[in-house]
Amino acid sequence: MDVRRITINIAGRVYPLNVPAAEEETLRKVGKQIENMIKDFEQNFDVRDKQDALAMCALKLGTNAEMLSLTNEKNIKSASERLSKINQMLGDSGK
């Protein structure tokens, strides 16, 4: 596995990371997303403490992840129900 050493800057701190090459681009994008979120919170909500901005980022990202998970669960359940109906119809047509 190809591992790369990269640095990510978040909230004025530099974080050196060893990451699989396949994950490098994703980590860089997420780092930029977090930086943009911090700037947004600082500008729009008068947040001056980086710790508060990071906490708000964590809350927002966690909420987004949970909502996506719930949506995925609903989609999987719906698809499973439709497949069951199709299987039942196919089984009934063979009789």
Side-chain angles (χ1 to χ4, degrees):
M1 175 173 18
D2 183 24
V3 176
R4 301 216 175 132
R5 182 152 179 87
I6 65 170
T7 57
I8 303 290
N9 187 329
I10 297 176
R13 291 190 179 182
V14 176
Y15 297 92
L17 303 169
N18 294 322
V19 300
E23 294 179 18
E24 179 180 0
E25 185 178 344
T26 300
L27 285 167
R28 290 189 186 281
K29 282 182 181 180
V30 171
K32 285 181 183 180
Q33 181 184 9
I34 292 170
E35 273 296 298
N36 290 336
M37 288 173 69
I38 289 170
K39 288 176 187 173
D40 184 54
F41 285 128
E42 288 174 336
Q43 291 172 355
N44 296 320
F45 299 101
D46 197 32
V47 175
R48 302 208 189 284
D49 182 31
K50 295 285 186 193
Q51 185 73 29
D52 289 341
L54 284 169
M56 292 172 77
C57 286
L59 185 59
K60 183 173 182 176
L61 291 171
T63 300
N64 291 348
E66 184 62 22
M67 294 300 292
L68 183 59
S69 176
L70 291 172
T71 298
N72 286 341
E73 286 178 25
K74 288 178 186 176
N75 288 341
I76 290 170
K77 183 178 179 183
S78 175
S80 179
E81 289 170 356
R82 286 184 288 190
L83 286 172
S84 291
K85 287 179 184 178
I86 291 169
N87 278 336
Q88 184 179 7
M89 289 186 325
L90 289 172
D92 290 345
S93 68
K95 292 180 181 178

